[in-house]
Amino acid sequence: MKKETKTAIRIISVFLFILYLVFLTYFLFFAESFGRVYTEREYAYNLELFKEIGRFWTYRQELGFMAVFTNIAGNVLCFVPFGAILPVLNRRARNFFMITLLSFQFSFLVECAQLISRVGSFDVDDLVLNTLGGVLGFLIFTLCNKVRRKRYG
């Protein structure tokens, strides 16, 4: 691949990653449609693995499709760009274990920020779902990278 092409890809990737972080910050902390408003409320957290996922699944009829989809699939999908773009930006992130660890750490940071700011809640289920999203993004990156190498060398 030409050096100019690599530079262009890196610049676009930096722009997309920054844009992703801005949107993620908005949706996790400021989007009123997701109930992200600051109120004088108690700290909210869940430390029991699969408790919230199970609750959403058990009450899926009462909660409705959008609530269940937003909580479960939304937590996975919001971290797919993290796992897909980060390996383009940093060659050391082109490792399954590394991207899993970085996805978990970034998710932990987000969950702690939600706990401290009292916007949203700290939920271990979100840690699992977000990490899964980062891994899924990495698998998409890996597949695209193999296709690119096969096609363009």
Side-chain angles (χ1 to χ4, degrees), residues 53-116:
I53 293 172
R55 186 176 68 81
F56 270 89
W57 186 253
T58 301
Y59 297 105
R60 65 187 178 278
Q61 297 296 332
E62 292 86 352
L63 294 170
F65 173 78
M66 278 311 292
V68 175
F69 181 81
T70 301
N71 185 277
I72 295 175
N75 275 303
V76 173
L77 293 174
C78 76
F79 267 67
V80 168
F82 183 84
I85 299 172
L86 195 60
V88 176
L89 297 176
N90 189 334
R91 288 176 107 24
R92 288 181 276 165
R94 294 183 184 179
N95 174 302
F96 182 83
F97 176 75
M98 183 59 73
I99 207 71
T100 302
L101 180 64
L102 291 171
S103 296
F104 179 81
Q105 288 176 334
F106 185 55
S107 177
F108 186 75
L109 178 72
V110 167
E111 293 297 317
C112 287
Q114 286 182 323
L115 178 67
I116 292 167

Side-chain angles (χ1 to χ4, degrees), residues 11-25:
I11 290 169
I12 292 168
S13 297
V14 167
F15 173 75
L16 288 175
F17 197 71
I18 291 170
L19 188 64
Y20 160 71
L21 292 175
V22 167
F23 277 112
L24 186 68
T25 302

